[in-house]
Amino acid sequence: MLVGEPRFQPKPFLKVMGGEACFPPPVWLMRQAGRYLPEYQALRAKAASFLDFCYTPALAAEATLQPVRRFGFDAAILFSDILIVPDALGQKVTFESHDGPKLDPILTSEDFVKLNGRINSSRLSPVFETIERVKTTLPAEIALIGFCGAPWTLACYMIAGKSTPDQAPARLFAYRQRDLFQSLIDRLVQASIDYLAWQIEAGVEAVQIFDTCAGVLPFAELERWSLIPVEAIVAGLRLRHKNARVIGFPKGVGQHLMDFAARTGVNALGLDSSTDPRWAAKTFDQDLVLQGNLDPLALAAGGPALEAGVRHILSAFRGRPHIFNLGHGVLPQTPIQHVELMLDFLRGDSAK
Ligand code: CP3
């Protein structure tokens, strides 16, 4: 239990993170703030750039709260981006509209030595101020989640300088310049420990580590660049915050979910949509919280696909600690009514 926290836990999300099963399960959605919401579009138009948006506490706090206010989710996720960490390490990061992120790629040891040794806490102070602001307005029963990108996923962007379909630039770099790549991963492990510890000190109640690009790695590479670094982050964070609650989301790793859970020591495992909920429910110990895993395209499609998807997940995880979520982020084309319908299926009488 964290210092100053009430013994009775009124937040369903935190009850489940503590290992209790709840029905209906608490729900939040990855990318619950974003372009599918008209109020997000209006807010986004006020900032000159996406990074300015993330670094302006009044705007970022409002973006964090918007989906909770509209839909009544059980958790808010800090509005920010995983690429804030490379930015705070001194790499040039920009977001061009409709073209995704652009970074000055790290190709050589000269590029690597230009990075800061530790992340710059003053650059990040608007993020912590955002957390403090959200905490003052968030209803008592809603939890606040912080996050970071896992070292492998950050490195994919830092080396390619942009999104790539198969992460080939980072995979080639990791094979060809192994020691230098290891140094980059080590730097990101330390940066992530600092960043998550500071988010917890500012008020987040759980953190999620996004390893979105993990699924492209052969097992030996996955072990070295995902499992071991995430294990080091979890251990380093718990040295600073003994009861830190951590959700790991290693997207696309299939059967290696078992190795990820066993090795990293996360409290909760985020499942992508390719994972069979029944397989996960019978494979993982009851004390591992499972999160997921509706297909974002079933949410965008609506109709019978949405209803069947929600019911299948509810029945597979019933009786064990489960947090309802998507298998990846909300897509920009998702109709708002489909999110409302999803919540009706989850919480309505027919769910029981
Ligand atoms: O989930 C939330 O609501 C919190 C905010 C959040 C964002 N990005 C906001 C965002 C979170 C948790 C992220 C994580 C993130 N960012 C990941 C890991 C999870 C995943 O989705 O795979 C990754 C790989 C990124 C990097 C990133 N940020 C990309 C590739 C892009 C461009 C593609 C896209 O979806 O637009 C972004 C931009 C971004 N991050 C937007 C939002 C709302 C859209 C920017 C805009 O409004 O123009």
Side-chain angles (χ1 to χ4, degrees):
M1 190 155 302
L2 301 178
V3 183
E5 223 172 88
R7 206 157 267 285
F8 166 70
Q9 189 48 262
K11 306 189 183 198
F13 172 89
L14 293 181
K15 265 195 206 167
V16 173
M17 280 302 284
E20 254 184 76
C22 285
F23 197 85
V27 52
W28 70 280
L29 303 180
M30 293 186 273
R31 292 285 182 101
Q32 63 190 21
R35 285 163 295 190
Y36 75 112
L37 294 177
E39 61 271 34
Y40 170 86
Q41 307 265 23
L43 198 63
R44 172 75 179 77
K46 294 187 185 170
S49 72
F50 181 68
L51 270 191
D52 282 346
F53 187 19
C54 292
Y55 284 133
T56 306
L59 298 180
E62 177 58 17
T64 306
L65 291 164
Q66 281 177 341
V68 174
R69 213 181 278 135
R70 181 189 270 271
F71 298 115
F73 292 129
D74 295 287
I77 179 162
L78 164 70
F79 187 83
S80 184
D81 198 84
I82 62 166
L83 300 177
I84 293 293
V85 165
D87 178 71
L89 282 171
Q91 188 172 16
K92 184 160 186 275
V93 180
T94 54
F95 286 83
E96 284 154 34
S97 40
H98 309 301
D99 210 17
K102 292 277 169 288
L103 298 83
D104 280 354
I106 292 178
L107 302 171
T108 62
S109 53
E110 288 74 44
D111 299 329
F112 175 71
V113 296
K114 281 192 224 140
L115 295 178
N116 304 327
R118 299 285 282 258
I119 44 171
N120 182 338
S121 63
S122 56
R123 177 84 174 141
L124 293 169
S125 62
V127 177
F128 310 127
E129 194 187 324
T130 302
I131 294 170
E132 284 158 13
R133 281 183 182 236
V134 170
K135 280 305 283 279
T136 61
T137 14
L138 205 58
E141 68 283 7
I142 316 286
L144 179 60
I145 304 170
F147 69 91
C148 71
W152 164 251
T153 293
L154 290 178
C156 287
Y157 285 93
M158 294 174 80
I159 287 168
K162 59 182 181 190
S163 301
T164 56
D166 53 4
Q167 320 309 337
R171 287 159 69 193
L172 283 169
F173 191 114
Y175 285 130
R176 289 179 175 149
Q177 305 189 68
R178 243 165 150 65
D179 292 345
L180 183 56
F181 193 71
Q182 183 71 57
S183 306
L184 175 61
I185 293 290
D186 293 345
R187 181 75 50 91
L188 291 169
V189 166
Q190 185 58 53
S192 307
I193 295 170
D194 285 339
Y195 187 42
L196 294 179
W198 293 334
Q199 289 183 45
I200 290 173
E201 283 147 34
V204 305
E205 297 157 294
V207 293
Q208 176 155 318
I209 303 175
F210 287 92
D211 213 350
T212 308
C213 303
V216 296
L217 292 172
F219 183 68
E221 296 289 287
L222 180 77
E223 189 175 32
R224 182 155 177 183
W225 308 128
S226 173
L227 273 47
I228 295 173
V230 173
E231 177 188 22
I233 294 171
V234 174
L237 185 61
R238 294 223 176 104
L239 283 178
R240 285 160 67 170
H241 295 285
K242 188 155 63 76
N243 298 311
R245 304 172 182 96
V246 186
I247 308 166
F249 178 58
K251 184 170 176 285
V253 302
Q255 64 186 16
H256 303 314
L257 280 168
M258 290 189 281
D259 306 277
F260 185 94
R263 181 86 196 234
T264 60
V266 292
N267 305 81
L269 191 60
L271 307 174
D272 63 44
S273 312
S274 71
T275 307
D276 174 10
R278 291 212 190 95
W279 171 83
K282 63 174 189 258
T283 301
F284 293 102
D285 288 347
Q286 276 285 338
D287 60 1
L288 182 73
V289 182
L290 297 176
Q291 176 177 280
N293 68 342
L294 181 71
D295 186 352
L297 280 165
L299 183 62
L306 173 57
E307 179 161 7
V310 173
R311 296 205 193 290
H312 181 59
I313 291 166
L314 283 184
S315 77
F317 293 123
R318 191 147 189 178
R320 63 169 297 145
H322 170 234
I323 296 163
F324 195 93
N325 204 315
L326 300 180
H328 198 191
V330 179
L331 296 163
Q333 71 267 34
T334 305
I336 282 166
Q337 306 87 286
H338 293 184
V339 179
E340 290 163 354
L341 263 177
M342 179 199 81
L343 291 169
D344 285 349
F345 294 145
L346 262 176
R347 293 170 170 168
D349 287 339
S350 60
K352 290 157 188 140

